[in-house]
Amino acid sequence: MSGRTGGPSIIEVAREAGVSTATAGRVLGGYGSPSEQLRIRVFAAAHSLGYEANALARSVVTGRSGIVGVVVPDIGNPFFARALRGISDVLRQAGLEVVLANTDGDVEVERRAVEVMSRNRVAGLILASVSLRDGRHLTKMLSRGVPVVLLDREIEGLDEVDSVMIDNRLAARRAVGHLIGLGHRRIAVVTEATKTLGPALLAGGVHAGLPSLLRLEGYLDAFREHGTDLDLNLIRYSGLRREESLVVALDLLSTDTEVTAIFCTSNVMTLGTLEAIQQSGRRCPDDVSLVGFDDLEWTSLVRPRLTVVAQPTYDLGATAANRLLARLNGESNTGQRILLTASLIIRESAAAAPETAPPGLP
Amino acid sequence: MSGRTGGPSIIEVAREAGVSTATAGRVLGGYGSPSEQLRIRVFAAAHSLGYEANALARSVVTGRSGIVGVVVPDIGNPFFARALRGISDVLRQAGLEVVLANTDGDVEVERRAVEVMSRNRVAGLILASVSLRDGRHLTKMLSRGVPVVLLDREIEGLDEVDSVMIDNRLAARRAVGHLIGLGHRRIAVVTEATKTLGPALLAGGVHAGLPSLLRLEGYLDAFREHGTDLDLNLIRYSGLRREESLVVALDLLSTDTEVTAIFCTSNVMTLGTLEAIQQSGRRCPDDVSLVGFDDLEWTSLVRPRLTVVAQPTYDLGATAANRLLARLNGESNTGQRILLTASLIIRESAAAAPETAPPGLP
DNA sequence: CTGAAAGCGCTTACAG
DNA sequence: CTGAAAGCGCTTACAG
């Protein structure tokens, strides 16, 4: 005897119906071709016993589970919530189930979540990873031939794996270019790129992989492109928490009175920065312009309405899911790096730079 | 031969290590007491072969999976996202894994999600259901003795099941009472209670179970409590979509010029209603006061800052998880109905009623 | 179409 | 402590 936790098995159903377990399995599992007569008998028996198939046992035999795992750092972030919808719609249509795990941005939690899914033999995995330098937690799945699609972030050294994200660098460059076009010169950036990685990037020592780093790189690109002078004091680093970005932006606004525009590299940074502008007493966009990242529901509710970089969030998810399906169907087997394009939604928070004094006047 | 989808099994590891599969199982599975010597040999073999345990097979034997299922209607809703965090924190600490399913508010999707989890023998289930009249999709799990905890919504007729939610009726009554206390008399409500259920409730023909219905009932309570006159035109029904609530609130504001305050029964309703006020040209709170539901990140970012009913969201999740743990440990077996208390956060969007003309003047 | 038997990958009494 | 054997609940060739 072991862990029989209640619930009749296929054996009891077969006995009740007076057929072999093979036959019971065929009608209950929907494979083979049992006769209509036996089907009725078996279903009746199953129903009267309250039978419910044990998907675990089936998966042990077939080797896979028909379930796709999705692991993201923060499902509370509207970006991932919406991408998930795209994923679910596509996968559900293909007859696959989706289970989700949230990692809280914690590498260790991610490692565990992936391991749990791998051990439970998910058919495939869509992963928005927080550990960009290290894909070791994926090797077992990959060596078993389970397809993995990376969403929003790549992982270094995993070139055979598919990835789907926006062209972060280009998106940021355009956003900042927009500000430069409006006459701004002292344009700050509030970014969740780390205090170690950010400067390393500036020094040319890092291959940008994180979205935040790529966006920071795009910010630099824009300055370069327009021949605008760059002041390192304009780059402000914050942890990925709204409260922290509030403090950072507040510090920026109080120490640098010349700043006329701010670009934020994520919706969390945008939240804190907007709050900082409000608290600082400066008017937006009269005194300081703002371009945020991600078009969330509240961005058109605040005053002024926010000019933002909008990602095709739903499509990112749907595209990732379609890549996974292609892999599952064996249609493709070379790593593909898919970049979708973000758009700049121009509203009211970014306006012409103030006090563009006519040249020649003091 | 069958679905062997790559990956060595415990048999190969045992062979490689020169031990029985029982011994290999003991060291790899962490049960029994294998000798240190064999442990080393087995681990070495497992490592060299790239072995990863098949949790499915283990679960088939033990009868359960160590995984708790959570199914919610909309993980993109900050309410559920935050509750999930509470759930995860508690469950993870107890050594259980959490998998999530999103139902999109679709009864059929919910039914399927619950079935998938049930078939995969989750150890327990936390469910925020959309099908309040019908708990049939839970009977198989329940009859197998798998604990189920209902979050945020109850299901009629499932009295032996635990549930955790706020006292919705009381919360709404207090919110509306606050408006009455500020001198408002024509207080409208924008609610996602359905157009059929809402009126049925008013007619006394429905036992309120849905949060939205309970909140509507609390709205009525407040009028009754203060002896304020009720006008059915003040009750506006909307689907659970922001766009729809915008239309509904816009209609309210254009057809009823006397309304001085609006209460919303969910954060989605709040979003649309606030937008409607902005578009209508009326000033908030000078012309019309607003009390929203749920304290989201943007509620203190908009102007005026919103007065809202705040749910102890994280605690709701944590409490549900703790109930589940108690059940899993056999500590409890009678259905418990746990009501947490919501609080009213008073900010700027609800102010004294305008034009409270002194009595006696025309 | 149907059944007896073997098998999936693991765990669990049962002897030793 | 260790192994041979039986078992978990299902599926899959293989005969008939």
Side-chain angles (χ1 to χ4, degrees):
Chain A
M1 196 105 318
S2 69
R4 286 292 328 269
T5 337
S9 77
I10 210 170
I11 301 181
E12 278 106 283
V13 175
R15 187 179 306 141
E16 172 84 10
V19 299
S20 69
T21 61
T23 294
R26 285 192 263 258
V27 359
L28 265 12
Y31 50 91
S33 4
S35 71
E36 187 57 23
Q37 215 188 111
L38 293 191
R39 290 193 66 218
I40 296 177
R41 291 232 310 266
V42 171
F43 275 133
H47 191 80
S48 82
L49 294 175
Y51 171 79
E52 177 165 58
N54 184 329
L56 263 19
R58 176 198 263 259
S59 299
V60 168
V61 173
T62 62
R64 226 156 260 186
S65 66
I67 295 179
V68 169
V70 176
V71 359
V72 299
D74 177 15
I75 195 56
N77 189 321
F79 172 81
F80 290 114
R82 189 146 176 69
L84 174 65
R85 189 142 303 182
I87 292 173
S88 299
D89 286 354
V90 170
L91 256 27
R92 202 167 281 153
Q93 192 142 304
L96 291 166
E97 292 298 324
V98 177
V99 301
L100 194 64
N102 199 61
T103 66
D104 258 348
D106 181 324
V107 190
E108 187 49 33
V109 175
E110 173 178 321
R111 211 191 47 64
R112 268 185 52 183
V114 169
E115 185 177 330
V116 167
M117 294 195 165
S118 183
R119 288 179 174 234
N120 282 283
R121 300 300 190 259
V122 289
L125 179 72
I126 296 180
L127 168 66
S129 181
V130 286
S131 72
L132 301 110
R133 332 298 308 277
D134 183 4
R136 271 176 300 178
H137 52 325
L138 298 177
T139 52
K140 295 220 168 126
M141 295 191 91
L142 292 175
S143 71
R144 237 188 288 117
V146 177
V148 174
V149 176
L150 266 21
L151 176 67
D152 188 47
R153 304 106 184 268
E154 312 183 84
I155 297 182
E156 283 180 29
L158 249 55
D159 304 321
E160 71 288 17
V161 172
D162 296 316
S163 64
V164 179
M165 65 197 75
I166 61 159
D167 189 334
N168 284 293
R169 187 168 175 171
L170 180 61
R173 180 173 137 202
R174 286 194 180 148
V176 177
H178 175 64
L179 287 168
I180 294 177
L182 287 169
H184 295 277
R185 289 301 171 267
R186 271 196 88 69
I187 304 168
V189 58
V190 176
T191 176
E192 75 276 21
T194 70
K195 278 190 187 93
T196 55
L197 247 37
L201 175 77
L202 301 188
V206 167
H207 173 70
L210 277 161
S212 54
L213 272 181
L214 288 163
R215 292 169 194 171
L216 180 55
E217 208 158 9
Y219 166 86
L220 301 176
D221 287 346
F223 277 76
R224 222 172 281 133
E225 182 186 17
H226 293 85
T228 307
D229 282 339
L230 175 66
D231 177 350
L232 292 186
N233 286 321
L234 291 171
I235 304 179
R236 302 295 175 129
Y237 303 101
S238 160
L240 192 53
R241 290 180 44 245
R242 171 190 182 166
E243 297 74 23
E244 203 171 333
S245 65
L246 166 62
V247 172
V248 166
L250 231 29
D251 179 68
L252 166 72
L253 290 168
S254 67
T255 57
D256 191 328
T257 51
E258 317 251 280
V259 168
T260 64
I262 306 179
F263 170 60
C264 295
T265 60
S266 77
N267 64 59
V268 178
M269 298 297 105
T270 308
L271 229 25
T273 301
L274 177 58
E275 197 175 357
I277 295 175
Q278 292 178 346
Q279 288 189 16
S280 75
R282 302 215 209 172
R283 292 161 308 164
C284 177
D286 317 279
D287 301 326
V288 46
S289 284
L290 177 67
V291 174
F293 217 100
D294 286 328
D295 190 36
L296 305 192
E297 45 190 17
W298 53 266
T299 52
S300 56
L301 219 46
V302 294
R303 289 296 120 87
R305 296 179 184 87
L306 256 44
T307 291
V308 296
V309 176
Q311 301 194 58
T313 321
Y314 181 92
D315 280 347
L316 283 168
T319 304
N322 278 317
R323 276 309 296 164
L324 195 73
L325 288 178
R327 289 280 191 159
L328 286 172
N329 296 330
E331 286 166 25
S332 157
N333 38 36
T334 59
Q336 238 175 261
R337 207 167 152 266
I338 302 180
L339 291 181
L340 302 189
T341 310
S343 54
L344 185 67
I345 299 186
I346 297 180
R347 289 196 277 245
E348 305 151 1
S349 69
E355 57 189 320
T356 6
L361 286 187
Chain B
M1 197 103 318
S2 68
R4 287 291 328 270
T5 338
S9 77
I10 211 171
I11 300 181
E12 279 106 282
V13 175
R15 186 179 306 142
E16 172 84 9
V19 300
S20 70
T21 61
T23 296
R26 285 192 263 257
V27 357
L28 264 13
Y31 51 90
S33 4
S35 71
E36 186 58 23
Q37 215 188 109
L38 293 191
R39 291 192 66 218
I40 296 177
R41 290 231 312 266
V42 171
F43 274 133
H47 191 81
S48 82
L49 293 174
Y51 171 81
E52 178 164 57
N54 185 330
L56 263 21
R58 176 199 262 258
S59 299
V60 168
V61 173
T62 61
R64 227 157 259 187
S65 67
I67 295 179
V68 168
V70 177
V71 359
V72 298
D74 178 14
I75 195 56
N77 188 321
F79 172 81
F80 290 114
R82 189 145 175 69
L84 173 66
R85 190 143 303 180
I87 292 172
S88 299
D89 286 354
V90 170
L91 257 26
R92 202 167 280 153
Q93 191 141 305
L96 291 166
E97 291 299 324
V98 177
V99 302
L100 194 64
N102 199 62
T103 67
D104 258 348
D106 181 323
V107 190
E108 188 48 34
V109 175
E110 173 178 320
R111 211 191 49 62
R112 268 185 51 184
V114 168
E115 186 176 331
V116 167
M117 294 194 166
S118 183
R119 288 179 174 235
N120 282 283
R121 300 302 191 258
V122 289
L125 179 71
I126 295 179
L127 168 66
S129 181
V130 285
S131 72
L132 299 109
R133 331 298 308 274
D134 183 2
R136 271 176 300 179
H137 51 325
L138 297 177
T139 52
K140 294 220 168 130
M141 296 191 90
L142 292 174
S143 71
R144 237 189 288 116
V146 177
V148 174
V149 176
L150 265 22
L151 176 67
D152 187 47
R153 303 106 183 270
E154 312 184 84
I155 297 182
E156 281 180 30
L158 249 53
D159 304 321
E160 70 290 17
V161 171
D162 297 315
S163 65
V164 179
M165 65 197 75
I166 62 159
D167 189 334
N168 283 294
R169 187 167 175 172
L170 180 62
R173 179 173 138 203
R174 285 194 181 149
V176 177
H178 175 64
L179 287 169
I180 293 177
L182 287 169
H184 295 278
R185 289 301 171 267
R186 271 197 89 68
I187 304 169
V189 59
V190 176
T191 175
E192 74 276 23
T194 69
K195 278 190 188 91
T196 56
L197 248 37
L201 175 77
L202 301 188
V206 167
H207 172 70
L210 276 161
S212 55
L213 272 181
L214 288 164
R215 292 169 194 171
L216 179 55
E217 209 159 9
Y219 166 86
L220 300 176
D221 287 347
F223 277 76
R224 221 171 284 135
E225 181 185 19
H226 294 84
T228 306
D229 282 339
L230 176 66
D231 176 350
L232 292 185
N233 286 321
L234 290 171
I235 304 179
R236 303 294 175 128
Y237 304 100
S238 160
L240 192 54
R241 290 181 44 246
R242 172 190 181 166
E243 297 74 23
E244 203 171 332
S245 64
L246 166 62
V247 172
V248 166
L250 231 28
D251 179 67
L252 166 72
L253 290 168
S254 67
T255 57
D256 191 330
T257 50
E258 317 252 280
V259 169
T260 65
I262 306 178
F263 170 59
C264 296
T265 60
S266 77
N267 64 57
V268 178
M269 297 299 105
T270 309
L271 229 24
T273 302
L274 177 58
E275 197 174 356
I277 295 176
Q278 292 178 346
Q279 289 189 16
S280 75
R282 302 216 208 170
R283 291 160 309 164
C284 176
D286 317 295
D287 302 326
V288 46
S289 283
L290 176 66
V291 174
F293 218 100
D294 287 329
D295 190 35
L296 305 192
E297 45 190 18
W298 53 265
T299 53
S300 57
L301 219 46
V302 294
R303 289 297 119 87
R305 295 178 184 89
L306 257 44
T307 291
V308 295
V309 176
Q311 302 193 58
T313 321
Y314 181 93
D315 280 348
L316 283 168
T319 303
N322 278 318
R323 277 308 298 164
L324 195 75
L325 288 178
R327 289 279 191 161
L328 286 172
N329 296 330
E331 287 167 24
S332 156
N333 37 35
T334 59
Q336 237 175 262
R337 208 168 151 267
I338 302 180
L339 291 181
L340 302 189
T341 311
S343 54
L344 185 66
I345 299 186
I346 297 178
R347 288 197 277 246
E348 305 151 2
S349 68
E355 57 189 321
T356 6
L361 286 187

